[in-house]
Each structure stands twice: as C-alpha cells, then as structure tokens.
Amino acid sequence: MNNIFLTVDVQMWTYILVGVTFSLYIGIAIWSRAGSTNEFYVAGGGVSPLANGMATAADWMSAASFISMAGIISFSGYDGSVYLMGWTGGYVLLALLLAPYLRKFGKFTVPDFIGDRYYSKTARIVAVFCALLVSFTYVAGQMRGVGVVFSRFLEVDIDTGVIIGMLIVLFYAVLGGMKGITYTQVAQYCVLIFAFMVPAIFISIQMTGNPIPQLGFGSQLADGSETYLLDKLDGLSAELGFSEYTNGSKSLTDVFAITLALMVGTAGLPHVIVRFFTVKRVKDARKSAGLALLLIAILYTTAPAVAVFARTNMIETVSNKSYASVPDWFKKWETTGLISFTDKNNDGIINYVADETQNELKVDNDIMVLANPEIAKLPNWVIALVAAGGLAAALSTAAGLLLVISASVSHDLIKKIIKPDISENGELIAARLSAVGAVCVAGYFGINPPDFVAAVVALAFGLAAASFFPAIILGIFYKRMNKEGAIAGMIVGISLMLFYMIKYKLGWLDEELPDKSEWWFGISPEGFGSIAMLCNFIVSIVIMKFTKAPPEDVQEIVELIRIPSGAKEAQGH
Amino acid sequence: MNNKERSKAYWKENIRYVLILLAIWFAVSYGAGILLKEELDAIKIGGFKVGFWFAQQGSMYVFVVLIFVYVRLMNKLDKKYGYDE
C-alpha cells in the first residue's frame, strides 16, 4: 500500500510542477505578443544582456544537454569530455569572432548576413538551404524529446506527448515570435537549472559530504574509507572489464576532431547566432555571450559530477545483486524499456560486465538523469522536478529553432527573393504561417521519427561547421573574400559533410555500414565537420584568388562592421 | 589621426587581443585536456588527475573567464578610440 501511495504522490507532484510551469510560459506569451516584424524576428532589438544570456542558455541547452549528456559521459568516461569542451568552447569563438560583428551588421537572420555580405541571391539561397537543413534535423529530435518526457512522467503515450508539446510551442512561438520566445526562455532557464542542480547537490552531499558537485566528484567518499570517488570508480570499471573511467577508448585524433567540430558547429548554429541580434549595442552582444556561457557552464560543470555519482551508484546498487531483490525503480524503468535484464546464465544474479557475451544488463543513457533521483532515494518533489526541467529544456530549444525556420522562409525566401514588395503586415502574417507550418513538420517527425533522426541530430553541428562558420568568419575578417569563393566553399563544405555522413553514419551507399577502419584519417562522422570546415576555408580562399574582388561598397560595409559604435536597430531593408 | 587611421589602429589592437585569448583557449582545451592529457594525469590534485580535470572542468572555467576578460579589454579599447556608447 505504501508503495502505491508513493507513486501517486510523484504523479501528483509532476502534474502540479508541469502545470505551474506551463501556465507561466503561456502567461508570458500573452504578455509579450509581437506587433511588428522587428519584434517577431529579433524581439525589437532591446533585450538586456542578462535576459539575452539566460534566453541563449535555455535556447542552447536542449533535451540532449539536460537528459542525455550526463548519461553519455557516465558510460564513456573521459571520452565524454568532447561534449563538455565542444559545447562550451564554441561560445569563446562566438563572443570573440562572431557575435559583436553580426550585431553591428544589424539584420534579422544568418542568411541575411550571407546574402548581403556576398551581394548575391545565390549565396542567400545556399545559406537558407543550410539553415533549414541544420534546424530541421535538430528540431525533430527536440519534439521527440518532449514526447518521451511526457510519456514517462505523465503516463500518456509518446504521440500524445508530442502533440501537447506542439500546441504549447505553437501558442507562444506564433503569438510572440522572438519576443515571446525570449521571455519564456528566461523562465525556462530558471526552471531547468533549478531542476538539474537540486538532485545533483542532494546526491553530492549523500556520497561525499560536499554540497558542491563540481568539488564533490573529486573528493573522498563519505563512508569514512578515505578512498577518492574517482579512484573507486576507476577500480570498479576495471573490475567489470570496462576501460578506466578517467581514460577513454577513442583515439587522440578523433577526440581532437570531434571537439573541434562541436565547437565550430556551436558557433555556426543559426538559432544561437540569431539571439545576438536581439540586444541593443555591440558591447551588449559581447557581454551577453559571456553571461550565456557562465549560465551554461553551471550545468555543464555539474553534468560530469552527476555522471560519476550515477555510475558509481548504479554499479553498487545492481551489479552482482540478485534480480529478485532489486529496488522498485529498477522494475518501474524496466517497463519503459530503458533498462533491461536478460538472465543469460540463469543464476538470478545481475552480471554487469563489459564483455557483450556475458553482460546481462542494458541501460539507456537517458536513465542516468531521469532515474538518478530515485536511485539515490530523493524526495518525490525532486523526482517530479526533473520532468519539469526536461520539458523546459526541450521546449525552449524547439521554439528557438522554429523561429529560425519561419524567419528563413518568410524573410529570406518570401520577402527577399519571391515577393520583395510584400507589406510589413503581410510579412508578419507570412512569418506566423511559416511558424505554424514548421511546428507541424517538426511534430510529424516527432511522431514518425525516421530511424536516421537520432543519428543525424549529432551531425547538425558538423553541417553548421562545414557551411556557415567559414563563410561568416571570412566575411568579417577577410575584406577581399568575394561571392564566388564563399558560395563554392559552402557548397563544397556541406556536400562533403553530407556525403561522409551518408556513407559512414547511415551506410546508404554500401550493402552495410562500412567499418571504422575505413574512416578517413581515423576520424568519425561526428568529428568530420572539422575536416569539411577546413575544405570550405581552402576552397573559398583558392576560388577567391582567381576571381574579382567584391565591389567597393561591400568592402566599405566590412570596414564598418568592425567598428562597434552606431549599431542601429535591425532593419529589414 | 583621421577616421581611417583610427579604425585601422583599433582593429589591429582588437586582433591582437583575440589572438592572445584564442591561444589560451587552445592551450587549456586541446593542449591540457587532450594533447598533454596523459602527461598531466601523472599529477593529482585531490581526487582529480590534472589532465582529466582540465577536460571535464578546468577548460570550461577558463572559457568563461576568457570571455569576460575580452569584454573588459574591448570596453576599454572602445573608450580609448572613442567608439563607446
């Protein structure tokens, strides 16, 4: 009886917390309706650096950061560092090389910059194509994430979860545009960081007596054994046949390449870049990049600690224990298929080892964050908090991406190419309609995920690195870069990345997926973005050398964006 | 100094800052966290091997500091050249 009472209680807490946070988001959306295209695309350009920093952090941290990342690190140890360094280091590039200049340029979208700087419709169309490709692969994964979180915590099926998520995002993205999204993202940041930190602090105290998780995972265990937690985990991993936790199994070249691809990809993601168009002055753009990274780093420095706590806890709770005596959470998550046990040698004991033929336990990455509070026996409200946090993370990122998609269609395609004489009001209607269309497409992929979505989401970074990053950097730092070079570079970069992805990640070109030994330079598809980016740079510069310099007025624009003062409100014309 | 010279000098100083900060950015992540990880792991501070710590903690702290240092340097530079607002 007691048990039933406890589960009902978690359920109630979840309904309460999710209900309260959702009403908050809807309330904010109604309060911050967009009245003009300027407000719809860039929130009127008057967002304060702190609000923009929080919104950027929420925009950036997706369901993958919140739910999956700690779990991935948990199972890959040192190898997981590529995500930590890769997804934070990109902000240094963004702050030093991109954000201030793009803000000075003062346009609505990334294809806007590419199209104007390279004085060419072709360049703009190539950029729109790249932006749509990157954003759609990314958003499909987010909608799926919303569905998964709903289904686990509210016990509706995944499809219903996706539809609820679609309706919420539809409401505030269509009504509020960038303005609505910005202020809901501020609220979502608060919810998600609170939801991530509370369980982490609880568990850190439990295991090491240190309330700061970042220090806790380098401390001694609280059981009086004077053993360091990381030494213990290294020992446990070795015992079970895994590689030592603090040493990875990936090659040095691949770790290097993946980190680079993720950093550069982060700096090239349109939904992140566009956030810096929303602040008032160039100095605000710099400052809000710093604040965004600070707020992101709170979660990102905690995640590796959570990874260590969760892994140690899990091994100790289930490894070599009798299946009949496993705790309740094990049975509960078994029904979701996230954890499974097959008694290969019929001894009733859970054998968790690295050797695939003998291993009897399968654990999904996501469980490390989702079930962590239960494994550590934390109070019910903390367990429910994780659901609200996961939803905040997934919704905020989905909304940011949908805005990029709708702006690419209504502004870059309709206004700039198809129908330049469209009125301000007409463009606003077009923007809202494209947002509706984008939500429907994203929802469709969330309900019917093609099996390649999961594989492709991680590669969105490679695509962004291979296409936008070189074109923007050269556009700012190399005055002579012309349209011929930039267009050729983008096309070569993104085609090369797509080819490598299709061949070595999806395996569509051969009978079966080619073996790792065939990878070029031993670099995985995840890391190949860095190679494709280099090719983009080289092709751009070589082609540029053989073609004529950009017109005088374009060169003057480049001079102008290098000077911070006099950044005007973003202009559509 | 005319406008053209002023903006040239400003740009030059900006590039110098960026290069120095990016060198540090590279050193803590690709250097300490990846290329020199094995050597640094021989040293331990508390329960952390130093190379591992740089890869999963230290590099991120340095990243945050780097951006705020850049913000300060650039605000000063903007003032020096009269570009602040």
Side-chain angles (χ1 to χ4, degrees):
Chain A
M1 276 316 282
N2 196 22
N3 272 336
I4 294 166
F5 180 72
L6 273 177
T7 29
V8 170
D9 214 20
V10 174
Q11 204 60 249
M12 269 322 287
W13 270 115
T14 310
Y15 282 123
I16 295 170
L17 289 178
V18 172
V20 168
T21 51
F22 274 34
S23 339
L24 180 68
Y25 307 151
I26 290 174
I28 293 172
I30 294 174
W31 165 75
S32 57
R33 288 182 309 272
S36 64
T37 50
N38 192 357
E39 286 187 344
F40 194 90
Y41 293 137
V42 293
V47 179
S48 79
L50 179 63
N52 191 45
M54 290 167 91
T56 310
D59 199 11
W60 169 241
M61 291 190 283
S62 60
S65 296
F66 188 91
I67 301 169
S68 311
M69 192 176 66
I72 294 173
I73 300 168
S74 213
F75 289 104
S76 58
Y78 168 75
D79 286 345
S81 315
V82 296
Y83 301 108
L84 295 168
M85 289 187 286
W87 286 340
T88 53
Y91 278 84
V92 178
L93 299 177
L94 207 50
L96 271 54
L97 303 177
L98 304 174
Y101 310 109
L102 291 175
R103 174 61 196 93
K104 175 65 191 296
F105 192 68
K107 288 289 151 83
F108 289 150
T109 65
V110 174
D112 236 359
F113 173 80
I114 305 265
D116 285 8
R117 165 62 180 84
Y118 294 115
Y119 49 97
S120 147
K121 272 192 183 172
T122 320
R124 186 187 293 270
I125 293 170
V126 173
V128 169
F129 171 77
C130 297
L132 290 178
L133 189 68
V134 171
S135 304
F136 264 121
T137 49
Y138 213 102
V139 81
Q142 297 306 317
M143 293 318 281
R144 192 73 189 162
V146 172
V148 170
V149 175
F150 265 117
S151 73
R152 276 176 214 162
F153 286 95
L154 300 180
E155 293 181 1
V156 295
D157 63 285
I158 293 190
D159 295 356
T160 318
V162 173
I163 292 168
I164 301 176
M166 274 170 68
L167 290 176
I168 302 275
V169 175
L170 195 64
F171 187 77
Y172 67 73
V174 173
L175 195 65
M178 185 56 117
K179 199 172 164 206
I181 287 173
T182 301
Y183 294 106
T184 37
Q185 280 173 338
V186 169
Q188 281 157 342
Y189 176 78
C190 301
V191 172
L192 84 87
I193 201 70
F194 186 70
F196 197 84
M197 294 309 290
V198 168
I201 291 170
F202 265 112
I203 298 171
S204 185
I205 296 175
Q206 242 178 33
M207 292 185 75
T208 65
N210 195 327
I212 302 168
Q214 285 86 340
L215 300 175
F217 84 118
S219 307
Q220 294 177 345
L221 290 159
D223 59 6
S225 63
E226 296 200 359
T227 323
Y228 282 109
L229 178 57
L230 280 168
D231 291 339
K232 179 173 180 181
L233 184 54
D234 272 348
L236 283 174
S237 312
E239 232 171 79
L240 301 175
F242 297 99
S243 53
E244 253 189 4
Y245 188 83
T246 53
N247 284 315
S249 53
K250 281 193 165 83
S251 77
L252 188 96
T253 340
D254 202 22
V255 168
F256 195 101
I258 297 178
T259 308
L260 185 63
L262 294 178
M263 280 195 191
V264 175
T266 302
L269 281 179
H271 72 286
V272 176
I273 293 177
V274 75
R275 288 240 46 100
F276 296 96
F277 294 161
T278 65
V279 292
K280 201 159 185 180
R281 295 164 300 181
V282 170
K283 62 194 278 193
D284 297 333
R286 297 184 197 124
K287 191 171 166 196
S288 68
L291 288 167
L293 183 60
L294 175 68
L295 298 168
I296 291 166
I298 296 173
L299 189 146
Y300 271 60
T301 53
T302 307
V306 170
V308 169
F309 299 146
R311 184 75 188 271
T312 315
N313 244 339
M314 196 205 73
I315 295 178
E316 294 212 299
T317 321
V318 299
S319 169
N320 255 328
K321 296 284 186 316
S322 140
Y323 179 65
S325 67
V326 292
D328 284 330
W329 63 263
F330 193 100
K331 297 266 160 71
K332 185 186 153 200
W333 289 94
E334 234 181 348
T335 58
T336 64
L338 282 190
I339 189 164
S340 66
F341 168 65
T342 28
D343 199 357
K344 287 177 184 160
N345 55 5
N346 293 317
D347 61 354
I349 306 277
I350 302 172
N351 287 321
Y352 176 52
V353 289
D355 183 352
E356 279 299 325
T357 56
Q358 287 173 43
N359 181 36
E360 300 177 340
L361 185 72
K362 277 221 170 88
V363 191
D364 189 278
N365 287 330
D366 293 356
I367 213 165
M368 293 312 220
V369 166
L370 294 175
N372 206 13
E374 291 164 86
I375 300 176
K377 305 193 189 74
L378 298 182
N380 285 329
W381 65 270
V382 179
I383 299 171
L385 196 56
V386 173
L391 287 171
L395 288 175
S396 56
T397 308
L401 288 159
L402 290 169
L403 192 88
V404 167
I405 295 172
S406 71
S408 293
V409 173
S410 64
H411 184 69
D412 294 311
L413 280 184
I414 298 179
K415 165 89 188 171
K416 290 296 175 124
I417 292 171
I418 300 171
K419 197 174 185 304
D421 58 345
I422 192 168
S423 70
E424 155 89 13
N425 244 337
E427 192 185 343
L428 192 58
I429 292 169
R432 290 202 155 111
L433 288 178
S434 347
V436 174
V439 174
C440 294
V441 176
Y444 175 82
F445 282 126
I447 291 170
N448 309 299
D451 44 1
F452 57 87
V453 162
V456 171
V457 168
L459 299 171
F461 292 90
L463 293 171
S467 56
F468 288 127
F469 186 77
I472 301 175
I473 290 286
L474 292 171
I476 297 165
F477 291 87
Y478 202 169
K479 218 178 358 176
R480 203 198 171 275
M481 183 46 67
N482 58 12
K483 64 175 176 188
E484 290 84 357
I487 295 170
M490 282 195 288
I491 292 176
V492 168
I494 203 146
S495 319
L496 202 57
M497 184 65 211
L498 278 174
F499 163 78
Y500 201 79
M501 195 169 109
I502 287 168
K503 183 159 172 72
Y504 293 103
K505 184 79 186 182
L506 302 171
W508 290 351
L509 299 185
D510 307 271
E511 298 279 298
E512 54 188 60
L513 195 65
D515 186 67
K516 282 182 184 184
S517 59
E518 292 179 30
W519 288 350
W520 302 359
F521 322 108
I523 291 174
S524 59
E526 286 77 10
F528 191 75
S530 39
I531 302 290
M533 170 196 73
L534 280 182
C535 294
N536 181 336
F537 270 115
I538 294 168
V539 169
S540 301
I541 292 170
V542 169
I543 300 275
M544 178 271 293
K545 291 276 182 203
F546 290 103
T547 40
K548 65 174 195 283
E552 271 307 307
D553 58 322
V554 170
Q555 301 202 30
E556 259 163 45
I557 294 179
V558 179
E559 299 260 316
L560 212 63
I561 58 176
R562 294 176 175 182
I563 294 163
S565 55
K568 283 192 223 59
E569 219 177 65
Q571 295 287 323
H573 311 278
Chain B
M1 222 173 8
N2 68 24
N3 268 341
K4 201 138 199 169
E5 283 164 17
R6 189 166 68 126
S7 64
K8 258 208 170 122
Y10 171 85
W11 186 244
K12 230 175 135 183
E13 280 200 58
N14 173 25
I15 295 284
R16 201 170 57 100
Y17 289 152
V18 168
L19 288 178
I20 294 171
L21 294 172
L22 285 183
I24 302 172
W25 164 83
F26 185 87
V28 292
S29 50
Y30 298 95
I34 300 177
L35 298 172
L36 300 173
K37 188 228 173 211
E38 220 140 283
E39 287 74 13
L40 289 173
D41 270 354
I43 313 164
K44 263 182 97 169
I45 298 177
F48 290 116
K49 295 175 182 166
V50 170
F52 176 82
W53 182 81
F54 264 105
Q56 301 215 333
Q57 294 280 303
S59 56
M60 292 186 276
Y61 299 135
V62 177
F63 293 159
V64 174
V65 173
L66 283 179
I67 300 185
F68 282 106
V69 168
Y70 177 71
V71 169
R72 282 203 70 138
L73 287 174
M74 289 310 284
N75 283 348
K76 265 199 206 151
L77 197 64
D78 290 354
K79 271 211 186 91
K80 183 175 155 193
Y81 285 90
Y83 289 140
D84 61 323
E85 46 187 7

